[in-house]
Amino acid sequence: MLLDVEGLTTHFDTRNGVIKAVDGVTFAINEGEIVGLVGESGSGKSITGFSILGLIDPPGRIVSGSVRLNGRELIGLPSSELRAIRGRHIAMVFQDPSTTLNPVLSIGDQMALALNAHGSHSAQMAEARIVDVLTTVGIPDAARRLGAYPHEFSGGMRQRVAIAIALMHRPALLICDEPTTALDVSIQAQILAQIKRLATELGTAMIWISHDLATVSALASRLLVMYGGRIVEDGPVGAVLRAPRHPYTAGLLSSLPANAAPGQDLLPIPGSPPSPMDLPPGCAFAPRCARADAACAEAPMITGTDGRAWRCHHPLSTSALP
Amino acid sequence: MALPSSTFNKRFAMTPLLRLAHVSKRFAPHVAITDRLAAWLGAPVETRTVYAVDDVSLAIGKGEVLGLVGESGCGKSTLARIIAGIHAPSSGEALYDGMAIMSSARQPVKTLTKIQMIFQDPFASLDPRLRIGDTIAEGPLAHRLVTRAGAPDYVRDWLAAVGLPGDAAERFPHQFSGGQRQRVAIARALAMKPDLLVCDEPIASLDVSIQAQIVNLFLKLKRELSLAMLFISHDLGVVRHISDRVAIMYLGRIVESGPTPEIYRSPRHPYTKALLDSVPKLTVDGTDVVSFKPIEGELPSPLNPPSGCHFHLRCTFAQPRCKVDAPRLDHASQAVACHYPL
C-alpha cells in the first residue's frame, strides 16, 4: 500500500457557514497504480488532492482523517517535513500551466530550483538532468530552450514543463489535477499518451483528477467517483463503466451524447449539484435520485467482494452483486 | 412553369438564411507613429497581421444547425462574431437573407435583431446588477417587439420556454447556478425572436450533469422554433449530436464541411480524421487500450501560419505540393480542402 487515505475531512470556514468540501474520503492506492478521481466542480476532487499534499490554507482546514504514505502519517507534520515530501515523494501537476510556472524565471532556472529543493547538484549535473527530464516529456531541442521564459512556450509545452518538474525526483505518487482540461484535444491526446507511458516506465502511481470519464477510462485502472464531498463509487474502470452501481455514476454515463441516437434527447440527471455549504443529510445525491427513499437518510459505503464499493442502498445492476 | 428538378437546383434555388462569401478577417496590431514614420522612410518594420478568418464561404439554411469545430486559435469565435455583427469582415460578404450584416459604415444593420448570440460564460455575459427580467426585456423593448405593459408576461413566457420559473424575473444573476444562468442567456437571445442563434461554446463552462440538460434545450428549440444555429464547440460528441452539418476549421480556413453523419463516418481531410482519432473514447473493455491517437506536432501560431496547406507540417500524408500550394475547398456535398483527400 503506497497511499492510505482514511476519513479525510476538509472544511472551509466562511462568513456564511462551513463548506464541507471533503467529507470523509477513504481510499488507498498501490504502488504504480493509476486511479481516476472523477466528479463535477464542487464535488471536492481537487481539495482531496490538495489535502493529501497538505496544501490547505486558512480558512480551509483538515478537520480529521489520516493520510499515510508508506505507513507514515502526513497530516499534522510540520511544514518543513512536508516540504521534504512534496516534490520528492508526492508531486502535483495543476490545471493551468500558465499560472503554475514563474513568469520571470527562465525554464532552466525554475527547474534548477525544483531540482535543488531536494539535495544540491553542481550546475553541470543539474543542467544535464534538466535536459534529460525535458526530453523525456517530449520537448524537442531541450538544451537550447533552457533560457526561454514560460511565455515563449505554448500551453501544451508549458504543461510538459510542469510535468517535467513534477517527475524530476521520480516521485512515488503523482497527483494530476485536470492537467489537460485547458488544452486543445490534439495536444491533450499527446500529453495523455506521454504521461501514461512515463508513469508505466517509472512505476509512478497516479491520481488523475478529471470531470471527463472518457479521459479517465483511457488512462486509469481504477475509478473513484466523487459527489458532494464523498466517494460514492469505487472499482475497476471497466467494471464500473460497464455496469455502474451508484445511480449518480449511471446518470453521468447515460447523459453522454454517445449513448443517444443523434438528434434524440439525452438523458440528463435532473436538478443540479448540491451546494457544499448545504449538503443534504445522508446521501447527497438523494434529492436528484429516482431510487431514493427513507433509507437514504444514511448512506454508508457498502463494500462488495469483487473489489468494488458503492455508497447506495439501492444500487443498480444488482444481479452482479455478491 | 415547371421548376428544374435536379437536386442541385433544389439546394440553391432558395436563398439560404445566412451566406458568407470569401469572408476574411485580419487583425493588424496598432503601429506606433514612429514605426509608421520609419516604415515610410524605408526601414523594415515588422507588421504582424493575424489572418483570424481566411477566405471562408459557408451557408446556413432556415432551421439548419451547422456545427463548427476547431482548436483554439482557429478563428471559430471570430467567425461567430462576424456572423453576429460584432466584427466587420476585412473582405468578403456576410449576408443575412441577402442583406449585408454590416453596412459599409461598419454599423450593424437593422436585421441584426434576427441574429442573436449566446456566449460561453454565463457568469460574464449577464449584467450582475440587472434583474433577470430586465435583462431579458431590454432588447425587445428597445426594438418594440413588446410594449412596456406587456413586458412582464413576455418575459415569463420566455423563461418558461427555457425551463425557468416565472419568479426568476425578479432575481439577480448571482442567485442562479451556471446551468440556470445559461438558460437565462438563452431566454434573452430568444426574446428577440431571432431566426439564427450563434452559440459560441455554450456548454463548455457547465458541469457534466448539466450539459445534457442544456443540449436537450437546444434540441427542443431546434424542433419547436425551427431555429437555425451556428453551434461552436470543441466537444465533438455534442456537435455530432446536435448538428445537421459540420464544418471543421484549422488556422482560419475551413478544411472540410458536409453532412454530420458522413463527416464522422468517413472524414476526407487528414486533419478531421486526426481530430476525431485524438478524442479519448469511453472504453469499458480493459484498461490497456489507448483509445486515441494523438496528432503529431504543435498547433502553429496564427501569427505565422505555415505556407501552402496550413496542416502540412502535422499531416502524415503531406506531399511536396502541400508545402507551396494551398488547397481550396472543393464543391462536393462533403467538401474538403486537400490535394490528397482520404
Side-chain angles (χ1 to χ4, degrees):
Chain A
M1 200 60 61
L2 175 71
L3 182 83
D4 203 349
V5 178
E6 221 179 293
L8 182 66
T9 303
T10 305
H11 288 177
F12 287 80
D13 299 314
T14 69
R15 266 198 303 185
N16 301 324
V18 178
I19 297 177
K20 295 177 180 167
V22 178
D23 196 17
V25 161
T26 299
F27 65 94
I29 295 177
N30 289 316
E31 268 163 47
E33 191 180 20
I34 302 181
V35 171
L37 183 60
V38 169
E40 297 178 78
S41 50
S43 63
K45 55 191 193 306
S46 295
I47 301 297
T48 302
F50 292 153
S51 302
I52 291 169
L53 273 173
L55 292 174
I56 300 293
D57 283 330
R61 61 196 164 93
I62 296 173
V63 178
S64 60
S66 94
V67 174
R68 280 191 299 275
L69 181 73
N70 285 322
R72 184 179 178 207
E73 178 64 55
L74 300 186
I75 288 179
L77 273 190
S79 57
S80 60
E81 285 181 47
L82 267 178
R83 268 205 299 278
I85 289 168
R86 278 186 214 133
R88 179 166 200 162
H89 302 291
I90 308 179
M92 189 153 180
V93 180
F94 300 88
Q95 177 169 346
D96 184 1
S98 56
T99 56
T100 47
L101 297 176
N102 189 332
V104 298
L105 283 183
S106 70
I107 297 299
D109 283 351
Q110 50 191 308
M111 291 196 67
L113 279 180
L115 182 65
N116 291 324
H118 303 283
S120 61
H121 301 73
S122 72
Q124 218 170 4
M125 264 178 61
E127 185 172 325
R129 174 84 186 115
I130 289 167
V131 169
D132 182 41
V133 184
L134 285 175
T135 309
T136 54
V137 296
I139 292 185
D141 207 6
R144 286 186 43 212
R145 307 198 67 175
L146 291 181
Y149 288 85
H151 74 266
E152 297 174 71
F153 282 64
S154 68
M157 282 296 166
R158 273 182 230 155
Q159 198 58 292
R160 286 173 198 269
V161 172
I163 292 168
I165 291 175
L167 290 175
M168 185 105 74
H169 296 283
R170 306 196 167 207
L173 175 67
L174 184 62
I175 302 175
C176 297
D177 185 11
E178 307 229 21
T180 60
T181 305
L183 306 175
D184 280 310
V185 273
S186 71
I187 308 299
Q188 163 176 292
Q190 292 174 1
I191 288 188
L192 286 178
Q194 196 118 38
I195 212 161
K196 177 152 184 162
R197 184 177 59 76
L198 285 173
T200 317
E201 277 174 19
L202 303 173
T204 312
M206 244 182 0
I207 301 178
W208 187 273
I209 299 172
S210 177
H211 64 271
D212 183 7
L213 284 168
T215 310
V216 168
S217 78
L219 205 64
S221 55
R222 219 170 99 222
L223 179 62
L224 304 172
V225 182
M226 270 192 96
Y227 188 82
R230 291 180 184 160
I231 289 174
V232 296
E233 181 144 15
D234 176 352
V237 161
V240 172
L241 296 181
R242 243 192 325 270
R245 293 201 177 138
H246 198 283
Y248 173 65
T249 318
L252 274 187
L253 282 168
S254 63
S255 67
L256 295 175
N259 291 329
Q264 294 303 303
D265 273 357
L266 305 176
L267 296 168
I269 305 174
S272 48
S275 153
M277 193 102 76
D278 186 23
L279 288 178
C283 175
F285 188 63
R288 302 173 77 184
C289 182
R291 294 168 163 255
D293 62 16
C296 301
E298 274 179 59
M301 200 75 172
I302 297 165
T303 309
T305 53
D306 51 356
R308 297 180 59 176
W310 53 95
R311 195 182 286 279
C312 183
H313 293 295
H314 312 289
L316 293 95
S317 10
T318 39
S319 59
L321 290 183
Chain B
M1 192 181 78
L3 287 166
S5 63
S6 76
T7 50
F8 178 87
N9 280 318
K10 261 186 199 160
R11 277 185 63 210
F12 292 100
M14 51 180 181
T15 351
L17 191 64
L18 176 91
R19 198 167 68 82
L20 300 189
H22 305 290
V23 163
S24 296
K25 180 68 189 175
R26 295 180 288 272
F27 291 103
H30 180 75
V31 184
I33 180 99
T34 48
D35 283 347
R36 261 184 283 173
L37 208 66
W40 182 67
L41 293 171
V45 173
E46 201 187 3
T47 51
R48 288 157 53 100
T49 305
V50 184
Y51 279 79
V53 174
D54 190 4
D55 194 21
V56 165
S57 300
L58 58 82
I60 302 179
K62 287 191 174 72
E64 185 183 46
V65 178
L66 176 69
L68 186 60
V69 170
E71 298 180 90
S72 56
C74 76
K76 54 191 195 302
S77 290
T78 306
L79 189 63
R81 278 151 204 261
I82 289 171
I83 292 171
I86 297 171
H87 292 320
S90 307
S91 64
E93 282 184 314
L95 303 174
Y96 170 82
D97 224 357
M99 286 175 288
I101 293 172
M102 283 272 189
S103 70
S104 56
R106 302 205 165 187
Q107 288 293 315
V109 294
K110 191 74 181 168
T111 54
L112 202 66
T113 61
K114 289 288 176 196
I115 304 174
Q116 287 295 317
M117 189 149 175
I118 292 162
F119 298 88
Q120 173 170 354
D121 184 1
F123 288 78
S125 66
L126 298 174
D127 187 334
R129 293 191 286 183
L130 223 48
R131 288 180 203 277
I132 297 303
D134 295 334
T135 292
I136 294 173
E138 192 177 25
L141 282 172
H143 290 276
R144 295 165 202 253
L145 297 177
V146 65
T147 60
R148 200 158 278 283
D153 282 336
Y154 189 75
V155 166
R156 213 165 298 127
D157 288 347
W158 284 115
L159 284 173
V162 299
L164 287 174
D167 62 4
E170 297 305 312
R171 287 186 263 158
F172 289 96
H174 72 87
Q175 291 167 289
F176 293 91
S177 67
Q180 289 171 320
R181 276 183 224 211
Q182 200 58 294
R183 286 177 194 269
V184 171
I186 295 168
R188 188 209 56 77
L190 292 179
M192 295 301 290
K193 299 201 172 153
D195 293 328
L196 175 67
L197 275 188
V198 178
C199 313
D200 190 3
E201 300 265 9
I203 58 161
S205 66
L206 304 177
D207 269 325
V208 192
S209 74
I210 305 300
Q211 287 188 356
Q213 296 176 5
I214 301 296
V215 168
N216 279 358
L217 177 59
F218 279 116
L219 290 172
K220 186 184 118 176
L221 298 175
K222 179 185 167 189
R223 270 195 310 265
E224 294 178 3
L225 304 173
S226 58
L227 272 176
M229 285 187 229
L230 177 74
F231 194 91
I232 299 179
S233 180
H234 65 270
D235 187 330
L236 292 159
V238 170
V239 168
R240 175 184 208 164
H241 196 76
I242 207 166
S243 311
D244 302 311
R245 285 192 305 128
V246 182
I248 291 97
M249 264 183 110
Y250 189 74
L251 287 181
R253 296 177 185 160
I254 288 184
V255 296
E256 181 160 8
S257 78
T260 308
E262 275 87 335
I263 298 255
Y264 279 79
R265 195 178 337 114
S266 53
R268 292 180 68 207
H269 198 286
Y271 176 64
T272 314
K273 177 158 173 42
L275 198 62
L276 289 171
D277 284 346
S278 67
V279 178
K281 316 219 172 22
L282 208 58
T283 52
V284 294
D285 44 3
T287 53
D288 285 328
V289 188
V290 173
S291 61
F292 53 88
K293 278 190 263 109
I295 309 178
E296 293 295 315
E298 283 279 296
L299 201 59
S301 159
L303 278 171
N304 191 14
S307 61
C309 171
H310 286 344
F311 188 59
H312 81 263
L313 289 174
R314 305 170 81 191
C315 181
T316 42
F317 305 97
Q319 302 285 326
R321 182 184 172 194
C322 304
K323 204 177 285 181
V324 286
D325 188 4
R328 304 181 74 88
L329 207 60
D330 63 22
H331 295 287
S333 81
Q334 185 179 345
V336 64
C338 182
H339 296 307
Y340 309 99
L342 303 169

